[in-house]
Amino acid sequence: MDAHAHHPSIPAEALARQARLRALLAAMEEGRENREPGSLQLLRRALHGEPTDHAALIHELIDEELVEEAASLVRTERRKTDGGIAEKIGALLAPLAAKAMERRETGWQFDSRRATIRLGYAKEGEALDLDEGDVHAILMQAFRLEGFRLALDLGKRPKPSLRLELPLPAGAGGLAECAEAVFRVEPLDPPEALIARLNRRLPTGLRIHRWDPLAPYASPLGDLAEASHWCWNCPAERVEEARLRTAAFLAAREWLWEKGGRVEGRKQVKQLDLRPLVTELRWEGEILFSTTRAGSAQVGNPIKVQAAILGFEPVVLRGLLRLSLDLKADPRLAQAERFEPKLKNMYEDAVLLGGGSNITLVDEDDDEPLHLG
């Protein structure tokens, strides 16, 4: 059976988008060194049928502290590979991954090696038609191929900690987009070099331009965003109609929009007043500039919101571009003492005690205790 066979009910447009994403991800592997840890590369090849000493592979994954990542990879690749091999390797990894996760959860608050980074990136041009899932997959691929080891989250099935903040739908672009990544250990190279490495991997239209370290207790950017500033280059033949609609919107006390959504768990059409959510509409020639409130979960798809104001089909708004975000100050950063872990990494504690301490760490999985000081 074809591992990539598709369910007949999947729309042709969705299949085309999947094919495009696969092509973009494959192109990112061409012409440059793959810096993913060798044991994970070997696991990928083993899942696709390359003869491999499974016991030796498992030991290598253990030595590199990658059993959880390996178990996740097996789950992800299971449908695309030889099911029997995936089942066999998965059975070997499952108890090891469970034990590794338990140890990681126990020491989570004391792990000072983790580093949280807020990435600023642009999405425009050829990347306009990428949606949230596409951008996430592409950034994950870039991190993987460049050998950046993302920390795993604490979910039931741990996933690499990469989150897009205020993600854009397909058709919309942005110059001030953000993603937050948590690394197991902060990369040693300077930010400029790390950005350059990632950008050489990314497809045209996606470019990282900021690398800002964050305190692990910092608020998510989505909690800090107050407003988004947009621009849209209106087709010349639609400018007159669009100007009349914007004037009517600005003069109205309310502007109701029927939006699909869920009410008490059921899909229903509900009315949303757009007037308080859009705080600015102004024209400069054929370009419409607008500002929308970003703090409300009701704002929804920005293309659909602006299409509802202008009376156009959403497809006409392709190319809507977010120029910038207004952010409020992060209250957590001003109250660091409330969010800092009470205890630091044990190695740091030994240093603070002046080197004369006698701290003993006992790990049930180690033959000998580890003495600090």
Side-chain angles (χ1 to χ4, degrees):
M1 179 179 291
D2 181 4
H4 298 286
H6 300 290
H7 194 281
S9 65
I10 299 178
E13 181 181 355
L15 295 177
R17 293 179 66 85
Q18 292 174 7
R20 182 190 62 189
L21 177 59
R22 287 197 299 271
L24 287 173
L25 296 177
M28 293 172 68
E29 299 195 53
E30 298 174 359
R32 294 187 58 78
E33 176 189 1
N34 183 345
R35 300 187 181 188
E36 182 181 30
S39 57
L40 290 179
Q41 293 189 50
L42 181 58
L43 174 58
R44 290 179 188 276
R45 296 196 297 271
L47 291 172
H48 286 271
E50 180 176 300
T52 305
D53 183 337
H54 293 167
L57 171 59
I58 297 298
H59 282 298
E60 190 173 345
L61 291 166
I62 293 172
D63 290 342
E64 296 184 17
E65 298 181 359
L66 287 170
V67 291
E68 285 189 90
E69 288 84 349
S72 177
L73 175 59
V74 171
R75 287 194 300 269
T76 302
E77 297 291 310
R78 190 184 302 272
R79 295 181 181 178
K80 310 173 188 176
T81 60
D82 184 321
I85 295 176
E87 194 73 30
K88 181 178 180 180
I89 296 178
L92 293 172
L93 285 171
L96 298 171
K99 193 171 186 180
M101 180 178 178
E102 183 179 350
R103 295 179 63 178
R104 181 168 56 85
E105 288 177 336
T106 301
W108 181 264
Q109 291 296 330
F110 311 130
D111 185 1
S112 62
R113 300 174 303 166
R114 288 197 317 276
T116 303
I117 303 295
R118 180 172 291 159
L119 301 170
Y121 68 93
K123 175 198 173 198
E124 53 188 335
E126 294 183 25
L128 272 180
D129 291 324
L130 300 176
D131 64 15
E132 174 187 357
D134 296 335
V135 173
H136 187 275
I138 288 169
L139 290 177
M140 285 290 299
Q141 179 83 324
F143 284 129
R144 178 180 75 82
L145 294 173
E146 286 301 317
F148 295 156
R149 296 174 69 168
L150 293 173
L152 298 176
D153 63 25
L154 297 177
K156 183 176 180 181
R157 290 190 170 183
K159 298 178 181 178
S161 296
L162 175 67
R163 179 179 66 240
L164 304 188
E165 296 288 355
L166 301 177
L168 294 169
L175 304 180
E177 304 316 297
C178 288
E180 292 185 1
V182 182
F183 295 95
R184 289 176 61 165
V185 179
E186 185 171 6
L188 297 178
D189 292 341
E192 297 79 8
L194 299 171
I195 290 174
R197 282 172 54 186
L198 290 169
N199 281 341
R200 284 194 290 269
R201 291 282 186 186
L202 295 176
T204 303
L206 280 180
R207 284 296 174 270
I208 296 171
H209 52 73
R210 289 181 65 95
W211 182 285
D212 298 325
L214 289 180
Y217 49 83
S219 300
L221 182 137
D223 293 347
L224 305 176
E226 295 187 312
S228 294
H229 299 280
W230 308 88
C231 75
W232 177 61
N233 197 341
C234 182
E237 68 275 11
R238 293 182 178 267
V239 170
E240 183 178 357
E241 179 186 357
R243 281 179 174 272
L244 290 173
R245 292 277 295 192
T246 55
F249 179 85
L250 292 172
R253 297 186 62 179
E254 66 175 10
W255 195 275
L256 298 179
W257 171 44
E258 290 190 347
K259 175 188 176 185
R262 289 185 175 273
V263 177
E264 296 181 352
R266 296 182 179 182
K267 287 186 177 181
Q268 296 185 22
V269 174
K270 52 186 178 181
Q271 286 194 328
L272 176 65
D273 184 6
L274 297 181
R275 191 62 191 85
L277 301 180
V278 181
T279 60
E280 179 190 37
L281 286 173
R282 61 182 174 84
W283 288 89
E284 292 186 10
E286 297 178 352
I287 300 177
L288 175 62
F289 291 88
S290 59
T291 300
T292 58
R293 299 185 188 277
S296 172
Q298 293 182 314
V299 173
N301 186 318
I303 289 181
K304 292 183 178 180
V305 168
Q306 302 225 13
I309 294 171
L310 299 175
F312 298 155
E313 289 297 318
V315 68
V316 177
L317 273 290
R318 183 183 183 277
L320 178 69
L321 187 70
R322 177 155 50 198
L323 301 174
S324 62
L325 277 168
D326 291 344
L327 303 176
K328 62 185 177 183
D330 188 343
R332 291 187 178 184
L333 298 183
Q335 305 176 57
E337 69 282 354
R338 292 182 55 192
F339 298 96
E340 287 274 14
K342 296 291 184 182
L343 297 176
K344 295 295 187 180
N345 182 278
M346 293 299 184
Y347 291 91
E348 295 176 356
D349 287 344
V351 173
L352 290 174
L353 291 171
S357 60
N358 185 24
I359 300 176
T360 301
L361 303 181
V362 179
D363 190 327
E364 294 178 353
D365 297 315
D366 292 335
D367 294 329
E368 297 292 337
L370 173 63
H371 300 278
L372 303 182

